[in-house]
Amino acid sequence: MKFYEHIAKGIFRENGIETLNGHVAYNPEQAVEIATNMGCAVALKSQVLVGGRGKAGGIKFADQPGEVYHLAEELLNTEIKGESVKHILIEEKANILHEYYISVTTDRTSKKTIIMASAEGGVEIENLAKTNPEKIIKYHINPLEEFLPYEAREIARKMGVDSEFISKIGDVIYKIVKIYRKFDADIVEINPLILTPDGIFAADAKLIVEDDAAFRQKHLIELSGTKPKDFGFVKLDGDIAVLGNGAGLTLTGMDMINLYGGQPATFLDIGGGSSEETIKKALNLVLNYPPVKVVFLNVLGGITRADDVARGVVEAIKSSKRDIPIVIRLTGTNEEEGQRILEEAGIPYEVSMEKAAQKAVEICNSLNK
């Protein structure tokens, strides 16, 4: 679950991290009203769930309320990396003395939480890692141990923070670690954390919560106005959509496609307990993804029942506007019933993953000739 900046900042404020004064506008008139009431120079910040909005022109500045209408109208009629801007955050323009970077995420190599911090904020951390990696402080936390305030202050000291601000920056680091753990986050990031004459503020806020923790974070789902994803979906460079019930099985299906000379167009994990409706949604998603020429559905039924899969496939084919070949490997729980449903619908299937993958590649190759 990704959260818009203004929602993430609300969560940060509730957990003791200060943010700049700001309000959300959904049209230019609201933007002008907010800016007028604030009575100061403002930043107009597009609220999107993708990065790089600054470089894409998604942030504007206005010194007077009279400038706000045109800028708000411009932002609300744009797209940033394919995402339409539907609302903007009107926030006071800060007098920035210094910018820092702080994030907390999981280092899957060490299987520990990692804090990354730098005295050079406001830049893409990936670029800084390439050009000046020594400027990024990395600190691992054992997930079974408590993270203590003195450790946060030590990170601030290693960042090169002036002694008078070490305690305050350390306090922010300590609090975002608490947010990370409290909300089952995948990443918590402030870029930049700014020093101003009035104090230290999170000028931006990024919060991504693990989808698997949705059952523990229902209040966050309500806050975000979104629902947890039904499945994991990643777009790739090929032309054969690969779907499977489980990440491992989906990856194995992709390996099979590569082995026989094909290229996956998608990774789509429908999950281990998928319903008929989930199967239909997943197939509709890949059937309507333009690069896809063939679909390879790889199901080994366990909790997922083969008959539910078959019914979902039939319904998806009926509702699809594109006539895309579907190659199905279907075996496992209720496989006889599932296979019967496919046979009655005239949809071929295989019980061998290798044969199904090879067939998908052969069909795709014939279409590419």
Side-chain angles (χ1 to χ4, degrees):
M1 290 183 289
K2 294 182 179 180
F3 294 84
Y4 290 111
E5 174 194 4
H6 69 95
I7 296 175
K9 282 184 171 177
I11 294 169
F12 283 16
R13 285 193 298 272
E14 290 173 1
N15 289 273
I17 296 175
E18 291 192 71
T19 65
L20 299 166
N21 181 31
H23 303 278
V24 176
Y26 293 86
N27 56 57
E29 291 79 10
Q30 286 181 342
V32 171
E33 182 181 355
I34 292 167
T36 302
N37 291 337
M38 290 176 70
C40 62
V42 296
L44 293 80
K45 307 173 77 174
S46 302
Q47 296 299 282
V48 288
L49 298 176
V50 294
R53 63 177 174 175
K55 287 184 177 180
I59 300 176
K60 307 288 185 183
F61 297 95
D63 292 326
Q64 302 293 334
E67 303 171 26
V68 170
Y69 188 96
H70 170 71
L71 294 174
E73 188 176 43
E74 182 182 334
L75 289 175
L76 289 166
N77 283 287
T78 58
E79 283 191 358
I80 298 175
K81 296 185 179 179
E83 185 177 339
S84 298
V85 179
K86 296 181 180 178
H87 54 301
I88 54 179
L89 176 62
I90 313 299
E91 194 171 70
E92 65 178 294
K93 184 179 178 182
N95 178 12
I96 300 174
L97 302 177
H98 196 92
E99 297 180 327
Y100 305 94
Y101 172 91
I102 301 171
S103 74
V104 185
T105 188
T106 301
D107 182 347
R108 301 191 187 281
T109 302
S110 67
K111 300 178 182 178
K112 294 181 178 180
T113 300
I114 184 171
I115 301 170
M116 291 189 290
S118 176
E120 292 193 14
V123 298
E124 291 185 4
I125 198 66
E126 294 85 0
N127 291 337
L128 187 62
K130 291 177 182 176
T131 57
N132 299 98
E134 74 283 355
K135 293 184 178 180
I136 302 174
I137 304 303
K138 297 180 180 180
Y139 187 90
H140 287 88
I141 306 171
N142 188 322
L144 301 178
E145 296 177 358
E146 184 181 359
F147 179 66
L148 298 172
Y150 83 87
E151 295 176 90
R153 292 193 295 272
E154 181 62 15
I155 293 169
R157 187 189 66 77
K158 289 180 178 179
M159 288 166 62
V161 173
D162 289 345
S163 58
E164 60 183 305
F165 301 118
I166 285 176
S167 180
K168 291 183 178 179
I169 298 293
D171 185 56
V172 174
I173 295 171
Y174 178 69
K175 286 174 178 174
I176 71 165
V177 171
K178 289 183 71 175
I179 290 170
Y180 175 82
R181 289 179 165 175
K182 178 179 178 180
F183 296 108
D184 296 298
D186 180 59
I187 184 169
V188 183
E189 180 182 274
I190 304 174
N191 187 27
L193 177 71
I194 60 172
L195 172 65
T196 77
D198 299 315
I200 293 171
F201 302 91
D204 197 4
K206 181 176 182 179
L207 175 64
I208 300 176
V209 172
E210 289 284 357
D211 289 333
D212 291 341
F215 72 98
R216 281 198 298 264
Q217 304 294 346
K218 292 180 180 178
H219 59 296
L220 290 186
I221 296 174
E222 294 172 4
L223 259 181
S224 69
T226 62
K227 295 195 294 186
K229 297 177 183 177
D230 290 318
F231 34 71
F233 177 56
V234 179
K235 295 177 181 179
L236 302 169
D237 297 329
D239 47 15
I240 301 175
V242 181
L243 299 81
N245 60 319
L249 191 63
T250 308
L251 289 169
T252 304
M254 291 169 62
D255 287 342
M256 288 293 108
I257 293 296
N258 283 313
L259 178 66
Y260 291 111
Q263 287 189 306
T266 69
F267 164 95
L268 200 160
D269 173 15
I270 58 177
S274 299
S275 64
E276 176 183 336
E277 186 61 26
T278 301
I279 301 295
K280 181 181 175 182
K281 284 183 182 178
L283 279 172
N284 280 332
L285 183 60
V286 297
L287 287 170
N288 289 293
Y289 179 42
V292 170
K293 295 180 180 177
V294 178
V295 174
F296 172 38
L297 176 60
N298 182 24
V299 174
L300 174 59
I303 300 174
T304 300
R305 290 173 24 178
D307 55 326
D308 284 340
V309 172
R311 280 188 282 269
V313 169
V314 172
E315 289 302 311
I317 290 174
K318 285 181 182 177
S319 62
S320 176
K321 295 179 181 179
R322 296 181 72 207
D323 185 16
I324 303 293
I326 300 179
V327 180
I328 304 168
R329 179 269 186 125
L330 186 64
T331 187
T333 306
N334 285 12
E335 65 178 55
E336 294 87 355
E337 176 64 11
Q339 290 164 3
R340 183 191 65 78
I341 292 169
L342 293 178
E343 287 171 358
E344 289 182 355
I347 302 170
Y349 64 88
E350 299 285 348
V351 294
S352 163
M353 176 172 59
E354 291 82 357
K355 287 182 179 180
Q358 188 173 12
K359 186 175 179 180
V361 173
E362 289 172 354
I363 294 172
C364 192
N365 288 341
S366 67
L367 294 173
N368 288 332
K369 287 181 179 179

